[in-house]
Amino acid sequence: MQQDEILRLCRAFQQEGLHYVLIGATAMAFHGVVRATEDVDLFIRADAENVERLRRALRSVYDDPEIEKIETEDLLGDYPAVRYYPPTGDLYLDIMTRLGEAASFDTVEGEAKEVDGIEVRVATPLALYRLKRDTVRALDRSDAAMLRERFDLDEEP
Amino acid sequence: MPIERFRSGEEMNASPARAAHQERSDEENYQRFVRHCARMRRLSKAVYPRGVYKFRTVEEAQAFSRTAHRFGAQEREQPGEGD
């Protein structure tokens, strides 16, 4: 069976030693909280070598010169959120080094999941809940409510 | 337990079946997610732009999604220029 695109990405991240953690609906799915999504949200550690690891990983999955436009100066500077739409057209990646003033790779607790022999780093349910509970987007608030219910999280916003 | 009956939505939501995810493996959880996303794509195929875009905030990225993503399409756009 052909491995699906998200797993191919995660395998490439693992092979390149990328420091990352999945957040968002894809991460929720690894915890059994399933809703449809077509974006893969991830925090990466904010350093130049790690951004290069990300580019190498993406190049190993996609033959796409656009990947070179993912620039260290942006992710470490004024543009902490970079979105990449790969040529497959079925999903896109939101790559972040920080979210507002508080959240970043270093502040989000992650854990390892294993699928098809691939280790996938995902934010814990509590970390996901904390990321989502205070946002204004209705979808995030709904996700937060689901996480809170499923995992008996008792933190109030 | 193929069939359960409920007197109310609240009773349904409290059903133990809702907690089934706690007994699934990582693999099963993930495959369920993949199947669910595939169903969504069959119902309403999204068409995305191509390339790399950069944002100062997540709110900027979300606003871009609202204007740049199209849903319910049958075919993909040809690759275009990113920014």
Side-chain angles (χ1 to χ4, degrees):
Chain A
M1 191 179 84
Q2 190 183 3
Q3 211 166 51
D4 90 303
E5 195 168 343
I6 294 175
L7 286 185
R8 281 190 285 130
L9 282 164
C10 292
R11 183 178 58 186
F13 294 163
Q14 184 180 359
Q15 286 172 341
E16 292 299 336
L18 179 71
H19 296 289
Y20 79 100
V21 61
L22 294 183
I23 60 172
T26 306
M28 285 170 49
F30 282 95
H31 294 297
V33 182
V34 171
R35 72 163 168 83
T37 186
E38 292 188 302
D39 67 333
V40 178
D41 299 327
L42 64 153
F43 274 127
I44 65 167
R45 175 169 282 161
D47 66 63
E49 176 54 30
N50 206 41
V51 176
E52 181 50 36
R53 288 187 193 109
L54 171 74
R55 280 193 294 261
R56 280 201 302 267
L58 293 176
R59 280 186 215 115
S60 73
V61 177
Y62 307 110
D63 179 15
D64 185 4
E66 288 287 325
I67 291 166
E68 306 315 313
K69 294 181 181 173
I70 300 173
E71 295 184 69
T72 305
E73 294 72 20
D74 290 333
L75 280 163
L76 272 54
D78 290 340
Y79 296 93
V82 168
R83 179 172 293 171
Y84 172 50
Y85 294 93
T88 49
D90 283 339
L91 56 77
Y92 58 94
L93 287 86
D94 276 343
I95 301 151
M96 288 164 277
T97 49
R98 61 183 188 276
L99 192 58
E101 296 302 313
S104 68
F105 172 84
D106 293 317
T107 66
V108 172
E109 188 186 2
E111 64 184 79
K113 298 284 188 181
E114 187 175 318
V115 175
D116 207 6
I118 300 161
E119 184 181 293
V120 183
R121 295 291 304 173
V122 302
T124 63
L126 181 58
L128 289 167
Y129 172 68
R130 286 173 174 161
L131 285 170
K132 286 174 170 291
R133 68 182 174 187
D134 296 327
T135 63
V136 294
R137 199 169 67 141
L139 189 57
D140 288 324
R141 299 182 77 85
S142 165
D143 288 345
M146 269 198 297
L147 288 162
R148 187 173 181 205
E149 181 191 339
R150 294 285 182 93
F151 293 96
D152 294 323
L153 304 174
D154 55 9
E155 282 191 357
E156 291 291 343
Chain B
M1 196 188 304
I3 295 175
E4 281 186 273
R5 295 185 303 166
F6 306 100
R7 292 181 183 83
S8 66
E10 290 74 21
E11 203 176 284
M12 181 182 282
N13 288 336
S15 162
R18 298 266 294 172
H21 70 287
Q22 290 169 349
E23 292 153 22
R24 293 191 191 104
S25 67
D26 294 348
E27 184 89 39
E28 288 166 329
N29 279 331
Y30 183 71
Q31 293 307 330
R32 190 163 153 258
F33 166 68
V34 169
R35 289 195 300 273
H36 189 53
C37 293
R39 274 195 295 274
M40 182 188 77
R41 278 199 294 276
R42 285 196 295 273
L43 288 170
S44 178
K45 174 77 177 166
V47 177
Y48 300 125
R50 279 271 296 109
V52 173
Y53 298 80
K54 52 192 182 180
F55 307 99
R56 289 183 179 84
T57 64
V58 168
E59 289 74 23
E60 263 186 38
Q62 289 168 349
F64 178 80
S65 303
R66 286 193 289 275
T67 58
H69 296 178
R70 291 194 289 112
F71 296 94
Q74 298 300 309
E75 293 178 350
R76 286 195 53 217
E77 275 182 341
Q78 292 300 309
E81 281 295 307
D83 184 10

